[in-house]
Amino acid sequence: MEENYRQTKGRIFNIQKFSIHDGPGIRTIVFLKGCLLRCRWCCNPESQEFGIQTMMENGKPKVVGRDVTVDEVMEEIVKDMPYYRRSGGGVTLSGGESLLQPEFAAALLRACQDYGLHTAIESTACAKWESVEQLLPYLDLYLMDIKHMDSAKHKAFTGQPNERILENARKVAQSHTELIIRTPVIPTFNDTKEEIAGIAAFAKTLPGVRQMHILPYHRLGQDKYTGLGRTYEMAHIEPPSQEHMEELLAAVNAAGLKGQIGG
Amino acid sequence: MKQYYDEPIAKSSRIQKLVDDLYADMPVIEADRAVLLTESYRQTEAEPVIIRRALAFSHILKNIPITIRDRELIVGSATKAPRGCQVFPEFSFEWLEKEFDTVSTRSADPFYIAEDTKNTLHEVYKYWKGKTTSELALSYMAPETITAMEHNIFTPGNYFYNGVGHVTVCYGKILECGYEGIIAEARAAMEQCRPGDADYAKRHHFLEAVVISCEAVIEYAQRYAKLALDEAAACTDETRKMELLQIAKNCARVPAKGAANFYEACQSFWFVQMLLQVESSGHSISPGRFDQYMYPYYKADMEAGNITRESAQELMDCIWVKLNDLNKVRDAASAEGFAGYSLFQNLIAGGQDAEGRDVTNDLSFMCIEASMHVMLPQPSLSVRVWNGTPQEFLIKAAKLTRTGVGLPAYYNDEVIIPALMNRGLSQADARDYNIIGCVEPQKAGKTEGWHDAAFFNMCRPLELVFSNGMDKGVQVGLQTGDVTKMETFEEFYDAYKKQMEYLISLLVNADNAIDVSHAERCPLPFLSGMIEDCIGRGRSVQEGGAVYNFTGPQGFGIANMTDALYAVKKLVFEEKKFSMAELKQALKDNFGKGLWSDTVEEITKDVVNNLIKMGRTVSKEDVEQISRTVIGGTVTDEQKKRYDQILEWIEEVPKYGNDIREVDDFARDVAYTYTRPLEKFRNPRGGQYQAGLYPVSANVPLGAQTGATPDGRLAGTPVADGVSPASGRDESGPTAAANSVSRLDHFIASNGTLYNMKFHPSALSGTRGLINFTSLIRAYFDQKGSHMQFNVVSRETLLDAQQHPENYKNLVVRVAGYSALFTSLSRSLQDDIISRTEQGFDR
């Protein structure tokens, strides 16, 4: 990477401060725009297109997406330096899918590490391995979504098969980067004990993986679909009950992993 | 082995029963103190005032009914009924007499008052006409000050109508030497008085008064010893009988003598705490560093095996309940400003000692445990935080925060200690600070701080800039010129600063008038005996006897004024979106959102005056007709549209609370318009003025007296609380808001700043939630914020509590520098708390 990596440009749509659910401590999340997956339940539908869009929010048009340099993002990130320091927190790249902008993501993670910050990405792993590889030197923690073990069903609900994801998971694990597997629990898609146990069993085979997070489905993104002029296909789906989540958690733990509900 | 014992301690079954009994009925107003006070005053008219005060105090303590409540281990009650209150006609009485028939039905802090109590007080009040501190204070004030007060620029209501309070005495000294020790000290000082000394008369009488007061207290405790013995003799329950005998034994020894053990220390502490609130009606009598002065007794008893952690905890819990047994009736307006029956008895745990070492101890943890056990608003529990604060202590505190009780408040040693040193405290004294009332730091036992001396509404001077100093047809402020002719922002901002400086000088005039009247009419010999160096100087605290003297009136509305002035700067002067004339009209028309009653009144008055000037006679019906016309049709639809456009522009201007450097630096400067002029002034006790930046809960009622402001705030709506960003305008999350607040100069506001944050309970769930929460506090403090407090309760819970108050009798929320029962607050204050931005950690 060139010396002026802090001038690298990328496209983001949000910077969120004070997150405590995507990695250790108090964190800032940078949401990168663009994703290969089209998960029906996606709570950030405005993240999917790489193009800059206009979304209606509270009756007003809002431009989603802006092009920024690493430096510009860092200016926001360093504002919360005291909180990272006190909490052992840092920065998490989310999206969208940061792997689709590997130059920018890598440069941003590198800049964070220059400040001694803990770095993480929350990612679908649905990208070329070369892109993943580009990030790894600057990455402390990979929070990887694995949504289903059945590739056909995966494709039906997300638009993409899962083979590449599973392959990337194995490669990341072998790279000795800390890896935590995350599964959104979506009723009608993957919320049976067997399906979750299947993912847990796979995760258990990955060297070094000890933790798996199951994230209950929520409907907080619903309004955004309307704002984008899209139909929310999941409107009829009820979030899983606490009891059911506990059962799934037991299945994860039974597979020999340290399970956790929520991030 | 663990350095600190941070495990939960079992709650004794006694405690919940004490709490339930306490809240069984509506609090009652009792007349005994007022009657006895007046009896004594009638007999002592020839005596010097300080002696009269002592004799009256003594007469009250000899004769006031005493009671031991069921199951109590710590005794001493100021009233027969739990949570009752006495009245204090020597400070003021007219307001209560006027409110006799409404005080039991008002929305904020109602009190029951019996018909015969009303009649008794009517009789008593006849004596006090013309003799109160408030009447004297008023006569000392400059006419322009009275005008400014009448126009709600500031409100010195607290000390104008009541005693001062706001003090922490040397509890440790009483625990050690008892009042016999104070008497000996006063007598020794008397022996030093030479009849030929210039100040002999004042000095000798003051010392006599101290002795009379202390003797009265000793005698009062003996009455309790006897009562306990009598009740023990009649008691058939063996366990209770033993308890009563022990109580009798305690009261026979303390507070006359030094405490011999932890139980006696607890009882002795309580007599001091309670009797200070019988001598005067001043609130915020703050126990201060309880974990420090009680510790030697706890440690000795633990080492000797005389007590267990559980038995010590039970005694502390009993004190915590008793702190809620005291009460005070305030006038209806003040009750809104201090809502929640709060006495602001601030008790602080943790922090450094005079040498700068961390002295968090077992009792620090047990203070937090006690608040978890009783779950009541008093004491106003605080914790001191610095780099050396043990993490387990902060976690314990965070666990209490997580219960949603609104306690504790967190204070930053790293700001407060240097801020106090900058005000002339020695390093050792500054390190030993505690908090008074809401957020005000002082050195215990050496300070008369006059914290909380007035509310100053920073929005009102801006209104006066727009009206060239006129308010409702009266010249209240300076004539700073026609606002529509101002050509630069600097000119406009200068006009605001001039109005501020002028009105601050009137505030000082009001406070100093009240200060003098307390010295002349209500010096407090009992309190003064426990404040250094009153005995040495032979003067009461009211006459400048304390080592450190301050006056600390608090300004509020920083967030509104920052956003307002910044909007004017950007939109009128830089972007020229609208003219000053248009803004002036928009404010008058309340941005077309319906006229505010005060404006209607004002316009009507103008019209009527003009008619009279033209020689017309105006009947009552005419006035009503004019008023109806004013309400009906001043703003056209076209204008309304334009006003909406203006509001939209204002909305788009960056706001304080979002970590935007330029705006935050501007906020810092706006805060200086209050804090800097103020510190130039002196009080009659020889001390300096120092600003606080906090509103208690006055931002709601005083907001109701404030017209629309250029930040888009509508007329009559609440002003922002404390140094917190305006409600709903901190949209960038808690770290951004905290970063903005930390950019204010908290050092110059040495009377305290107040930063409220509201969290959803989920934000503190699990160990990780607690740890991140403590990190947030530490990181805010790293950036030199001074104070932080939290409401941890969901919006849904609060809305439901409004609907079904009966289910939420014990729901405690953080109001300002204190917590209160949510259901006891007025509806508008409830709404304000609900609307404060709820900071969540969730997406």
Side-chain angles (χ1 to χ4, degrees):
Chain A
M1 207 175 289
E2 339 67 84
E3 274 313 296
N4 57 350
Y5 68 92
R6 290 181 58 142
Q7 297 310 316
T8 313
K9 277 199 169 169
R11 183 167 292 174
I12 65 171
F13 69 95
N14 195 11
I15 296 176
Q16 188 188 298
K17 308 278 181 71
F18 204 32
S19 166
I20 60 162
H21 294 300
D22 297 295
I26 296 171
R27 311 184 72 80
T28 292
I29 307 190
V30 183
F31 291 89
L32 281 72
K33 203 154 161 39
C35 186
L36 283 182
L37 268 50
R38 290 292 178 270
C39 304
R40 289 186 203 169
W41 59 86
C42 182
C43 64
N44 290 328
E46 77 277 31
S47 74
Q48 295 174 346
E49 297 290 332
F50 180 73
I52 291 172
Q53 293 164 284
T54 303
M55 178 170 76
M56 296 302 285
E57 197 180 77
N58 301 322
K60 284 182 194 161
K62 180 188 167 186
V63 176
V64 182
R66 59 192 164 106
D67 293 330
V68 291
T69 62
V70 167
D71 250 346
E72 284 164 348
V73 180
M74 288 312 293
E75 201 178 310
E76 272 305 307
I77 286 174
V78 297
K79 283 182 174 176
D80 275 5
M81 200 58 98
Y83 305 90
Y84 314 138
R85 255 198 313 254
R86 282 297 190 175
S87 66
V91 173
T92 300
L93 307 190
S94 182
E97 174 52 65
S98 43
L99 297 176
L100 298 187
Q101 301 183 52
E103 302 287 333
F104 174 66
L108 185 52
L109 292 174
R110 179 178 172 189
C112 289
Q113 285 202 337
D114 287 349
Y115 283 92
L117 298 179
H118 179 275
T119 57
I121 61 171
E122 188 195 25
S123 154
T124 66
C126 191
K128 290 183 297 195
W129 170 247
E130 289 68 34
S131 301
V132 183
E133 217 175 10
Q134 222 172 322
L135 268 59
L136 290 181
Y138 311 109
L139 188 64
D140 296 318
L141 170 65
Y142 200 131
L143 299 163
M144 187 184 292
D145 265 26
I146 295 183
K147 300 172 173 81
H148 213 288
M149 294 309 293
D150 177 339
S151 191
K153 199 166 182 188
H154 194 280
K155 184 159 190 215
F157 277 77
T158 70
Q160 295 286 338
N162 70 4
E163 284 82 4
R164 189 159 57 169
I165 295 171
L166 300 183
E167 191 190 325
N168 281 341
R170 188 159 306 280
K171 285 182 177 166
V172 170
Q174 283 162 352
S175 77
H176 305 294
T177 303
E178 188 184 353
L179 175 63
I180 294 176
I181 302 302
R182 296 184 136 186
T183 304
V185 175
I186 315 295
T188 70
F189 170 54
N190 66 357
D191 69 331
T192 66
K193 216 172 151 181
E194 293 68 33
E195 285 165 307
I196 296 296
I199 298 170
F202 169 76
K204 182 64 190 164
T205 67
L206 301 173
V209 170
R210 291 184 296 120
Q211 289 190 60
M212 177 166 158
H213 299 166
I214 47 175
L215 316 173
Y217 164 72
H218 62 76
R219 286 185 283 208
L220 299 179
Q222 190 167 356
D223 288 348
K224 294 182 182 172
Y225 284 85
T226 321
L228 290 165
R230 289 172 53 180
T231 316
Y232 186 58
E233 294 173 39
M234 306 284 286
H236 59 289
I237 303 287
E238 290 291 322
S241 67
Q242 182 64 29
E243 297 76 48
H244 186 57
M245 289 304 295
E246 299 284 347
E247 279 174 40
L248 299 180
L249 179 65
V252 171
N253 290 332
L257 292 171
K258 194 176 160 206
Q260 181 180 315
I261 298 172
Chain B
M1 202 190 114
K2 275 193 184 175
Q3 195 180 352
Y4 302 98
Y5 187 84
D6 58 355
E7 302 297 320
I9 299 172
K11 173 175 166 182
S12 113
S13 60
R14 179 194 312 273
I15 301 306
Q16 196 53 50
K17 288 177 189 143
L18 288 173
V19 172
D20 291 344
D21 285 354
L22 198 57
Y23 286 87
D25 299 305
M26 183 190 280
V28 176
I29 295 174
E30 299 185 6
D32 301 292
R33 181 191 177 280
V35 170
L36 293 164
L37 173 86
T38 312
E39 272 175 18
S40 174
Y41 259 71
R42 284 182 199 279
Q43 290 159 10
T44 60
E45 296 200 342
E47 302 283 342
V49 64
I50 191 84
I51 297 290
R52 296 184 79 190
R53 293 297 302 166
L55 289 174
F57 185 56
S58 174
H59 185 63
I60 292 165
L61 296 193
K62 277 193 179 102
N63 299 291
I64 198 166
I66 60 170
T67 175
I68 295 175
R69 307 204 197 288
D70 291 348
R71 302 182 192 88
E72 278 187 338
L73 295 179
I74 305 293
V75 301
S77 297
T79 50
K80 291 172 288 218
R83 285 201 308 148
C85 75
Q86 298 290 349
V87 291
F88 297 76
E90 65 266 48
F91 299 106
S92 65
F93 60 86
E94 296 93 337
W95 57 270
L96 184 57
E97 201 163 29
K98 271 188 212 139
E99 295 173 20
F100 270 164
D101 297 324
T102 51
V103 71
S104 65
T105 50
R106 68 189 192 189
S107 67
D109 298 0
F111 279 84
Y112 173 76
I113 179 164
E115 283 305 314
D116 61 331
T117 307
K118 288 182 195 171
N119 295 335
T120 308
L121 289 176
H122 269 308
E123 280 309 304
V124 163
Y125 288 162
K126 286 179 189 160
Y127 176 80
W128 289 100
K129 183 83 195 140
K131 298 190 174 72
T132 63
T133 52
S134 72
E135 288 160 303
L136 184 61
L138 195 62
S139 69
Y140 275 137
M141 286 178 201
E144 55 268 42
T145 301
I146 296 169
T147 306
M149 271 164 52
E150 283 168 356
H151 287 257
N152 304 312
I153 310 297
F154 51 82
T155 323
N158 205 357
Y159 304 164
F160 191 29
Y161 290 122
N162 304 285
V164 174
H166 289 81
V167 71
T168 300
V169 299
C170 54
Y171 294 92
K173 186 167 162 188
I174 306 302
L175 298 184
E176 196 183 328
C177 318
Y179 285 106
E180 289 179 358
I182 304 289
I183 292 171
E185 200 185 324
R187 290 229 162 96
M190 265 189 244
E191 278 170 27
Q192 301 298 313
C193 296
R194 301 275 168 271
D197 291 347
D199 62 351
Y200 177 87
K202 279 248 164 189
R203 179 187 288 262
H204 203 271
H205 279 114
F206 167 72
L207 295 168
E208 274 176 53
V210 171
V211 172
I212 294 168
S213 309
C214 294
E215 284 173 347
V217 168
I218 292 171
E219 204 177 318
Y220 179 75
Q222 298 301 337
R223 288 179 67 202
Y224 267 97
K226 181 164 183 313
L227 179 64
L229 272 184
D230 291 349
E231 290 196 5
C235 184
T236 51
D237 175 343
E238 275 309 308
T239 313
R240 183 60 181 159
K241 191 190 213 70
M242 295 306 288
E243 286 172 3
L244 285 163
L245 289 173
Q246 182 60 50
I247 289 168
K249 216 171 131 197
N250 291 343
C251 296
R253 274 191 39 84
V254 296
K257 300 186 185 310
N261 54 47
F262 186 67
Y263 194 174
E264 284 188 8
C266 287
Q267 180 62 60
S268 186
F269 160 81
W270 178 247
F271 276 125
V272 180
Q273 180 66 16
M274 184 205 71
L275 291 172
L276 280 168
Q277 298 181 66
V278 173
E279 188 188 29
S280 158
S281 64
H283 65 235
S284 299
I285 302 292
S286 299
R289 307 192 75 181
F290 186 90
D291 62 338
Q292 300 305 311
Y293 54 76
M294 296 298 284
Y295 190 64
Y297 303 92
Y298 169 80
K299 186 164 176 271
D301 270 3
M302 283 294 279
E303 280 169 5
N306 294 334
I307 54 171
T308 61
R309 216 182 290 274
E310 287 71 25
S311 67
Q313 185 70 56
E314 185 180 31
L315 290 173
M316 284 173 64
D317 293 357
C318 284
I319 288 177
W320 261 235
V321 175
K322 289 298 278 180
L323 287 163
N324 291 277
D325 197 343
L326 297 169
N327 215 337
K328 168 171 175 174
V329 61
R330 301 181 172 89
D331 62 282
S334 301
E336 296 256 343
F338 296 98
Y341 295 114
S342 264
L343 287 176
F344 311 92
Q345 299 164 104
N346 202 308
L347 188 152
I348 199 160
Q352 309 167 46
D353 65 6
E355 281 82 45
R357 293 168 300 195
D358 190 79
V359 284
T360 308
N361 60 37
D362 277 1
L363 287 184
S364 319
F365 285 82
M366 289 163 73
C367 286
I368 293 171
E369 189 75 19
S371 287
M372 286 177 175
H373 284 174
V374 302
M375 294 295 275
L376 292 174
Q378 296 291 305
S380 287
L381 186 69
S382 300
V383 297
R384 280 178 53 169
V385 181
W386 70 298
N387 282 330
T389 297
Q391 180 63 8
E392 51 269 58
F393 181 58
L394 262 192
I395 292 283
K396 180 92 181 172
K399 282 180 179 164
L400 176 59
T401 298
R402 184 162 70 179
T403 65
V405 75
L407 301 170
Y410 298 81
Y411 293 89
N412 189 2
D413 280 11
E414 319 278 4
V415 169
I416 294 173
I417 293 169
L420 290 175
M421 288 171 66
N422 183 44
R423 296 292 181 217
L425 271 70
S426 70
Q427 186 177 58
D429 280 350
R431 280 172 171 165
D432 195 29
Y433 81 88
N434 63 276
I435 296 296
I436 301 294
C438 284
V439 295
E440 308 96 275
Q442 70 162 227
K443 159 65 185 170
K446 277 190 174 180
T447 311
E448 174 67 339
W450 259 64
H451 311 287
D452 212 15
F455 297 121
F456 187 93
N457 184 349
M458 292 176 66
C459 300
R460 299 283 285 139
L462 188 64
E463 289 190 84
L464 293 175
V465 171
F466 278 91
S467 64
N468 199 10
M470 296 291 281
D471 190 58
K472 298 197 180 78
V474 179
Q475 189 74 41
V476 176
L478 294 176
Q479 293 188 350
T480 40
D482 182 346
V483 72
T484 63
K485 301 219 165 68
M486 293 182 181
E487 282 170 9
T488 61
F489 175 71
E490 286 64 37
E491 196 183 337
F492 175 74
Y493 194 21
D494 266 352
Y496 178 68
K497 288 180 188 167
K498 280 190 190 128
Q499 295 286 3
M500 284 293 287
E501 279 177 37
Y502 172 68
L503 295 164
I504 287 168
S505 76
L506 299 187
L507 161 83
V508 167
N509 179 263
D511 269 341
N512 285 352
I514 299 168
D515 209 325
V516 170
S517 73
H518 279 278
E520 287 187 16
R521 288 201 168 156
C522 281
L524 304 175
F526 173 58
L527 165 69
S528 300
M530 294 180 277
I531 299 290
E532 205 179 317
D533 184 31
C534 289
I535 290 179
R537 295 179 186 178
R539 282 206 299 266
S540 69
V541 288
Q542 288 69 32
E543 297 158 300
V547 174
Y548 301 117
N549 286 286
F550 297 103
T551 302
Q554 58 273 24
F556 67 97
I558 303 275
N560 299 96
M561 283 306 92
T562 300
D563 293 344
L565 291 163
Y566 196 72
V568 170
K569 182 174 192 257
K570 289 281 158 195
L571 299 174
V572 176
F573 291 104
E574 288 177 15
E575 295 167 21
K576 299 192 193 308
K577 297 263 197 207
F578 45 84
S579 70
M580 193 65 96
E582 197 178 7
L583 176 61
K584 184 179 174 181
Q585 191 58 43
L587 295 174
K588 218 174 197 174
D589 291 341
N590 195 22
F591 298 104
K593 302 291 178 195
L595 279 188
W596 178 45
S597 57
D598 276 29
T599 314
V600 173
E601 195 187 319
E602 189 164 338
I603 297 173
T604 309
K605 238 182 231 167
D606 279 355
V607 175
V608 172
N609 285 344
N610 283 336
L611 289 175
I612 292 170
K613 261 187 219 158
M614 290 188 298
R616 292 262 301 274
T617 46
V618 185
S619 71
K620 205 177 153 202
E621 288 72 33
D622 291 341
V623 174
E624 279 168 15
Q625 180 57 41
I626 294 163
S627 167
R628 266 196 299 277
T629 316
V630 171
I631 295 169
T634 49
V635 182
T636 64
D637 284 349
E638 203 177 318
Q639 263 176 312
K640 271 189 189 162
K641 245 192 188 160
R642 175 70 182 166
Y643 288 156
D644 284 343
Q645 172 66 63
I646 288 178
L647 278 176
E648 206 167 293
W649 281 326
I650 291 174
E651 172 108 23
E652 284 163 12
V653 174
K655 299 288 190 304
Y656 170 66
N658 295 290
D659 202 359
I660 304 163
R661 183 111 221 171
E662 189 188 336
V663 184
D664 298 342
D665 285 346
F666 188 68
R668 186 181 177 92
D669 198 62
V670 170
Y672 282 143
T673 66
Y674 181 68
T675 55
R676 282 201 168 138
L678 193 67
E679 65 180 359
K680 294 180 201 142
F681 292 97
R682 313 284 302 178
N683 64 35
R685 286 166 284 114
Q688 187 183 16
Y689 272 75
Q690 56 173 350
L693 296 173
Y694 60 94
V696 192
S697 60
N699 61 313
V700 178
L702 299 186
Q705 301 164 345
T706 307
T709 40
D711 56 334
R713 187 193 133 275
L714 297 180
T717 60
V719 171
D721 75 285
V723 290
S724 318
S727 259
R729 286 192 190 145
D730 47 340
E731 298 163 335
S732 313
T735 56
N739 288 346
S740 284
V741 177
S742 76
R743 289 210 181 98
L744 297 176
D745 185 347
H746 294 257
F747 291 85
I748 191 173
S750 49
N751 200 42
T753 65
L754 185 150
Y755 180 29
N756 258 318
M757 254 195 189
K758 191 159 81 173
F759 281 102
H760 194 274
S762 63
L764 280 82
S765 64
T767 310
R768 254 177 80 193
L770 289 173
I771 292 171
N772 284 324
F773 176 74
T774 60
S775 303
L776 171 78
I777 295 169
R778 290 211 193 250
Y780 175 65
F781 284 177
D782 282 347
Q783 301 178 84
K784 307 303 180 204
S786 167
H787 157 276
M788 244 185 168
Q789 61 181 31
F790 304 89
N791 260 332
V792 180
V793 62
S794 70
R795 184 185 167 79
E796 296 73 38
T797 308
L798 295 180
L799 288 172
D800 195 50
Q802 280 191 325
Q803 295 300 315
H804 308 285
E806 65 280 8
N807 300 336
Y808 293 92
K809 275 188 171 171
N810 288 331
L811 174 61
V812 180
V813 291
R814 194 84 185 163
V815 180
Y818 64 106
S819 289
L821 296 171
F822 183 72
T823 51
S824 74
L825 305 175
S826 68
R827 180 74 187 205
S828 53
L829 184 53
Q830 289 181 352
D831 288 341
D832 181 60
I833 289 172
I834 291 171
S835 73
R836 286 177 200 163
T837 307
E838 188 178 280
Q839 302 284 15
F841 292 64
D842 281 302
R843 263 164 286 176

